[in-house]
Amino acid sequence: DSDGEPGAPEPCEHLAADIRAALDAFCTACPQLREVVLWGLCDGASAAFMYGADDARVVGIIAVNPWVVTDRTPAQSYLRHYYLARLSSPAFWKKAARGGVKLHAALQSLWDTVKAAAAGTRARRAAGPSSAAAPGPSITEKMTAGLAAFRGRVMVVLSGNDRVAAEFKETARKSRRLRRALKARRTRWHEHARADHTFSRREWRDQV
């Protein structure tokens, strides 16, 4: 319900003042409060990574499906992570053999994703070298720098059925610095294989 104009293309870069104002108000209302844990979903998790090290009151961060920017489209990420995992899962094929999978709908969804991924690849090639000037990687670098500087505890919660989470895992795999920060003993990981981006089912929310 905050005011202001939401025009920034990557709003997580611009939330530090908002987070600080919220914590100031919270600590004023609860003067006995000394320590705070930030909980963020998607770009809220990214903003928490960027902010945490700059405020001594923040002693922990819970990052749910952190958002990163790469040169892949969502369809390419979904094809790479979700469908590859599904097709290589014995449980999926057992379920299909029992008739528990609507094969026509599943194949149509896969085909639509393949077409969207191919279109994204063609668009990126057509854009040429100029596409490398996009500001996306700097967001991931800022997240990584913030996480590396943060001395509190971190919990990363990832959904298995989510493109954003898949992008984050892939980025962490490729980035040595981010991987090193995430492997610190103060960081805990929880992965929920079936959950979607917002943990929309009651059972998934209960797990979180």
Side-chain angles (χ1 to χ4, degrees):
D1 296 327
S2 58
D3 57 13
E5 294 298 325
E10 278 81 36
C12 62
E13 288 189 287
H14 312 288
L15 290 178
D18 289 342
I19 296 174
R20 186 174 296 278
L23 294 189
D24 289 345
F26 195 19
C27 291
T28 299
C30 304
Q32 72 277 15
L33 193 65
R34 294 291 179 269
E35 298 178 342
V36 175
V37 174
L38 297 180
W39 171 294
L41 167 69
C42 195
D43 57 339
S46 307
F49 280 159
M50 294 183 197
Y51 179 85
D54 294 330
D55 193 325
R57 296 171 294 187
V58 180
V59 297
I61 294 173
I62 300 175
V64 185
N65 296 327
W67 181 73
V68 295
V69 177
T70 72
D71 61 355
R72 287 189 299 273
T73 67
Q76 291 166 335
S77 300
Y78 210 51
L79 188 63
R80 179 183 180 87
H81 296 281
Y82 176 71
Y83 281 110
L84 182 61
R86 291 272 284 173
L87 293 175
S88 61
S89 168
F92 170 79
W93 293 109
K94 289 179 182 178
K95 185 177 180 180
R98 295 194 302 267
V101 176
K102 297 180 180 179
L103 286 177
H104 181 269
L107 290 173
Q108 183 62 52
S109 176
L110 174 59
W111 176 240
D112 291 343
T113 304
V114 168
K115 289 192 296 183
T121 299
R122 289 194 298 269
R124 191 169 67 247
R125 287 174 179 170
S130 61
S131 62
S138 65
I139 295 173
T140 304
E141 290 167 3
K142 291 177 183 178
M143 287 172 54
T144 302
L147 181 61
F150 184 60
R151 293 294 172 259
R153 296 170 64 187
V154 176
M155 180 184 294
V156 177
V157 181
L158 299 178
S159 302
N161 185 16
D162 178 44
R163 302 173 190 180
V164 173
E167 285 284 12
F168 182 78
K169 288 181 66 175
E170 180 72 3
T171 300
R173 185 183 70 82
K174 290 184 175 181
S175 169
R176 181 181 301 177
R177 190 179 179 200
L178 179 56
R179 190 167 63 250
R180 187 186 306 125
L182 289 167
K183 282 187 175 181
R185 288 191 297 176
R186 57 190 170 81
T187 303
R188 293 168 57 193
W189 284 72
H190 295 278
E191 297 191 35
H192 301 269
R194 298 176 58 196
D196 58 20
H197 184 65
T198 58
F199 294 84
S200 59
R201 292 186 180 179
R202 175 64 183 270
E203 62 180 291
W204 298 335
R205 292 195 295 275
D206 287 346
Q207 292 169 1
V208 173

